[in-house]
Amino acid sequence: MFLPAVHSEPDRNVLLQFIKENPLGILITGIGSSQHDFLQCTHALFVLDQPDESNPPRHRAHIAKQNPQVKAMLETVDDKPPGVLQLDQDVLVLFNGRHDHYVTPKYYTETKPDTGKVVPTWNYSAVQVYGKLSLYYDSRTPEAGEFLAKQLHDLSEHTETSIMGYTGGDRPEPWKVADAPERYIELMQRNIVGIEIEIRTLQGKFKMSQEMRPGDREGVVKGFAELGGDTGMAISALVKERGELHDRMKQEKV
């Protein structure tokens, strides 16, 4: 990811919260394989384990056992340990923000009428994670079976409550893994593998017009607000927020 200083987000807590709010990640690997492509990617929902002083942050997911990316991973080790495989090389996971959009030069109400030296762009936010991957590939082993059971429980709890808002009371009750037949869940677990990634490098980018002149930023904020809808209002707010943060940081350096 290209990370100009003006777009980079260095706050680790902000980046971890971003992952919690945008759990659909793209797992990317580069693995030499005799049968599968070197570069593989898979969309997966991740659960973040919050870090503490003694443990690095980790995030977890599960994907289909028949996925070519899994087969390429398993091919890297001849003598596999029971249930858990650790890859030697780092993997990359990319998380995209919920809202992104094209930015027309017409929004630049300061520079466009002044010099005309403006071009279109695209506003977006993203976080990327590099880390070491452990693959829990055999649900019949105690370690992998326990990991997958916890993964399915934690993921459904997070998505049902945090994303759907199913918290009970005045809201609907959340769906639970226990609502499905036990035998059915066992069969499902045999067809998936668990993924755990120890986060070693965490980088984030908010490209939200913060580098533009104040009048241009105001034009972008107004333009997206007038565009309306969830995306228009969200980006309008983000441009305003990121612009103010940029100005504060710039003032502090002065």
Side-chain angles (χ1 to χ4, degrees), residues 188-202:
M188 293 293 291
Q189 288 183 2
R190 291 185 185 181
N191 290 296
I192 60 175
V193 296
I195 290 169
E196 183 177 49
I197 299 172
E198 179 183 321
I199 298 174
R200 300 204 175 183
T201 302
L202 189 61

Side-chain angles (χ1 to χ4, degrees), residues 16-55:
L16 292 173
Q17 183 62 30
F18 184 98
I19 293 174
K20 290 183 68 175
E21 294 174 357
N22 302 277
L24 182 63
I26 304 173
L27 172 66
I28 303 167
T29 56
I31 300 173
S33 168
S34 62
Q35 301 180 33
H36 305 286
D37 292 336
F38 175 74
L39 289 175
Q40 298 272 356
C41 72
T42 300
H43 286 79
L45 284 169
F46 283 83
V47 175
L48 179 67
D49 289 326
Q50 291 288 63
D52 55 40
E53 294 181 358
S54 59
N55 296 300

Side-chain angles (χ1 to χ4, degrees), residues 160-172:
E160 287 286 312
T161 58
S162 298
I163 294 178
M164 297 303 299
Y166 295 159
T167 55
D170 295 335
R171 301 282 295 170

Side-chain angles (χ1 to χ4, degrees), residues 59-242:
H59 53 183
R60 297 177 274 121
H62 64 274
I63 59 179
K65 187 174 287 186
Q66 294 302 312
N67 189 318
Q69 192 171 26
V70 173
K71 294 181 178 181
M73 293 181 196
L74 293 174
E75 193 180 330
T76 63
V77 179
D78 295 327
D79 186 19
K80 301 179 183 63
V84 185
L85 167 67
Q86 292 185 327
L87 294 190
D88 291 332
Q89 62 271 55
D90 278 3
V91 301
L92 169 65
V93 185
L94 175 65
F95 298 90
N96 288 308
R98 196 170 302 173
H99 300 286
D100 62 273
H101 206 281
Y102 171 78
V103 183
T104 172
K106 292 179 178 290
Y107 287 170
Y108 301 140
T109 53
E110 182 175 350
T111 303
K112 183 177 181 296
D114 184 14
T115 67
K117 295 180 179 180
V118 291
V119 292
T121 190
W122 201 282
N123 277 0
Y124 65 93
S125 54
V127 168
Q128 65 182 16
V129 173
Y130 290 94
K132 289 295 182 183
L133 182 146
S134 296
L135 186 71
Y136 294 77
Y137 63 90
D138 188 351
S139 64
R140 293 170 297 183
T141 62
E143 193 169 9
E146 192 174 302
F147 177 92
L148 286 168
K150 176 175 173 56
Q151 166 63 15
L152 294 177
H153 172 272
D154 291 351
L155 179 61
S156 62
E157 183 177 63
H158 173 59
T159 50
E160 287 286 312
T161 58
S162 298
I163 294 178
M164 297 303 299
Y166 295 159
T167 55
D170 295 335
R171 301 282 295 170
E173 290 290 333
W175 179 87
K176 299 180 178 63
V177 176
D179 293 343
E182 184 177 350
R183 178 59 178 163
Y184 172 75
I185 296 300
E186 289 177 2
L187 292 173
M188 293 293 291
Q189 288 183 2
R190 291 185 185 181
N191 290 296
I192 60 175
V193 296
I195 290 169
E196 183 177 49
I197 299 172
E198 179 183 321
I199 298 174
R200 300 204 175 183
T201 302
L202 189 61
Q203 298 171 322
K205 181 175 185 177
F206 287 80
K207 183 181 177 297
M208 288 291 163
S209 304
Q210 59 264 56
E211 76 280 8
M212 302 303 294
R213 295 162 71 180
D216 292 330
R217 286 206 312 258
E218 290 173 9
V220 175
V221 169
K222 181 180 178 182
F224 276 108
E226 291 176 347
L227 184 66
D230 290 345
T231 295
M233 299 309 295
I235 293 186
S236 177
L238 275 170
V239 171
K240 185 174 188 299
E241 174 189 318
R242 285 282 147 178

